[in-house]
Amino acid sequence: VSAITADGTASLSPYSTAITAKTTEKAALAPVTDPLRVASYNVKCANCFAGDPNELPWADRRSAVVSSIKNQLPDVLGVQEASQGWLKDDPRPGGISQFEDLAERLVAGGAPYKLTNTKRNNCVNHATPTNCVYQYQGASQGTKLLFNTNTVDLINEGSLALPSLSGEDNGRYVAWGSFLQKSTGKKFFVANAHLQPGGGAEYQTLRDQQTKSVLAEIKLRNPENLPVLILGDLNSHKWTEPANVPYDVLTAAGYVDPLGNTYATDQPGSGATAESRIGTFYDSFNAFKRLANARNDYGNGTYLDYIFTSKMRVAEWETVVNVDTYGNFVGVIPSDHNMIRVDVGLP
């Protein structure tokens, strides 16, 4: 080592004494056997079409959503914004909801998926909110869980309405399920949430309350203390000021962000557990932009969407994008969010 002038033209000191050292090689981990694949996907509600550039109506992009899911074949999939509202282009009596349409098309395409809960509304007549007489049905609006019937069994399921500020905000839910992985006989618990968007202190406080409600529901519904994965669109990210509140609440409770996507930096934190990464430099929200938002092929992108785990191995994380060599989305952009998925080894 030698000090030089700022323009690099002259040395200001002699070279220091040479030092010889040998780095130690970290022992390779054995591959995860019988990995469990879990994914989270905000598919954008069918009746929320905004006409953004590159945005297509649900009828024209749902095949791309189905293909994205089939290409990954998660054992459990948490979706957000798969609305319980009836699709305008389906004439069948009683209508069909977006989450029902998605499930039908997955099965029709040869993907063996079932919804953990098929109810649309928490009403005596769950099919419509008109003249609703409240009755808990486990419904959770567009926040739903689907599972691959070939690989996992459903043990139990339910949902919880999360705190809200006013009746003007859309209801927010956590949908949960306990499952059994057929290949190992191991049980696990998944919670899928979609928190309220909005800026300002009152919405920061609301997301704090909503996240704590999710944690309380997990504690209540998981008495066996099964391994847990928490999925969802938390509507907060590492550049949200003054803090990424849901992230802080979950990590303080002992849950792990496999990417180590800590506040105000793209560099993975020391607590990152993902052993292999695919596309993690992409943002999870793409806004239907043809050029996928990314962080120059390194580090962590900005995430509204998350998968947190209790203590377990995370063999692989993928932020799922279908892009060309220039980083442009190929063909139909399925949603304004990118799917995220992990392969984990259940303890």
Side-chain angles (χ1 to χ4, degrees):
V1 177
S2 174
I4 60 174
T5 57
D7 61 5
T9 59
S11 176
L12 299 176
S13 72
Y15 282 99
S16 61
T17 303
I19 296 175
T20 301
K22 183 178 180 181
T23 59
T24 57
E25 184 176 352
K26 186 177 180 180
L29 293 170
V32 170
T33 57
D34 296 304
L36 177 78
R37 177 165 288 194
V38 178
S40 181
Y41 202 4
N42 183 321
V43 299
K44 188 168 186 179
C45 59
N47 296 329
C48 299
F49 181 71
D52 292 329
N54 306 305
E55 179 186 7
L56 295 175
W58 173 249
D60 296 325
R61 62 183 177 84
R62 58 190 170 192
S63 293
V65 170
V66 169
S67 293
S68 295
I69 296 169
K70 288 174 59 181
N71 287 340
Q72 295 296 322
L73 277 182
D75 300 305
V76 178
L77 169 67
V79 292
Q80 305 87 40
E81 294 195 29
S83 172
Q84 82 282 12
W86 298 356
L87 298 181
K88 298 174 182 178
D89 63 343
D90 195 299
R92 73 185 75 181
I96 184 172
S97 70
Q98 186 178 3
F99 66 75
E100 291 165 338
D101 186 46
L102 176 59
E104 281 187 4
R105 291 174 183 277
L106 283 167
V107 172
Y113 284 96
K114 281 187 178 180
L115 290 154
T116 60
N117 183 290
T118 60
K119 305 299 184 181
R120 296 177 184 171
N121 302 281
N122 288 308
C123 306
V124 171
N125 177 10
H126 80 88
T128 174
T130 303
N131 299 321
C132 176
V133 176
Y134 180 82
Q135 179 176 305
Y136 175 72
Q137 302 272 19
S140 50
Q141 294 198 12
T143 302
K144 290 288 188 179
L145 285 168
L146 298 100
F147 65 100
N148 185 326
T149 58
N150 285 348
T151 58
V152 298
D153 286 329
L154 176 66
I155 299 171
N156 198 7
E157 59 82 24
S159 68
L160 175 72
L162 300 176
S164 62
L165 285 180
S166 71
E168 295 179 2
D169 290 333
N170 288 329
R172 301 287 160 168
Y173 285 83
V174 57
W176 57 267
S178 54
F179 303 88
L180 181 140
Q181 185 183 27
K182 292 183 179 182
S183 62
T184 63
K186 294 179 178 180
K187 298 177 183 179
F188 62 98
F189 189 95
V190 179
N192 174 36
H194 190 188
L195 303 190
Q196 183 69 41
E202 62 178 355
Y203 282 101
Q204 287 275 52
T205 299
L206 178 61
R207 285 188 288 271
D208 176 84
Q209 294 169 345
Q210 290 178 334
T211 308
K212 289 174 180 175
S213 292
V214 170
L215 291 173
E217 184 72 353
I218 292 171
K219 185 175 181 179
L220 176 65
R221 304 300 182 180
N222 184 24
E224 295 181 66
N225 199 28
L226 302 176
V228 174
L229 295 103
I230 301 175
L231 327 174
D233 177 355
L234 304 187
N235 272 308
S236 182
H237 55 75
K238 63 188 177 184
W239 307 106
T240 300
E241 295 182 347
N244 189 357
V245 172
Y247 189 103
D248 294 342
V249 171
L250 290 170
T251 53
Y255 289 97
V256 177
D257 163 27
L259 295 183
N261 206 354
T262 52
Y263 196 70
T265 178
D266 292 334
Q267 295 304 311
S270 60
T273 56
E275 296 165 18
S276 176
R277 294 164 167 258
I278 302 173
T280 58
F281 49 85
Y282 287 103
D283 295 353
S284 75
F285 180 68
N286 64 58
F288 286 113
K289 294 180 180 178
R290 181 58 61 183
L291 179 63
N293 295 330
R295 288 296 184 270
N296 300 317
D297 296 349
Y298 71 89
N300 288 319
T302 298
Y303 284 75
L304 293 172
D305 307 273
Y306 297 86
I307 300 175
F308 287 86
T309 73
S310 56
K311 291 183 179 179
M312 64 182 70
R313 283 185 63 186
V314 179
E316 187 171 83
W317 175 296
E318 180 171 2
T319 301
V320 181
V321 293
N322 179 20
V323 295
D324 61 22
T325 55
Y326 300 101
N328 292 304
F329 280 102
V330 176
V332 173
I333 303 174
S335 175
D336 58 350
H337 289 245
N338 300 320
M339 184 196 307
I340 55 175
R341 67 92 180 155
V342 293
D343 290 351
V344 303
L346 292 174

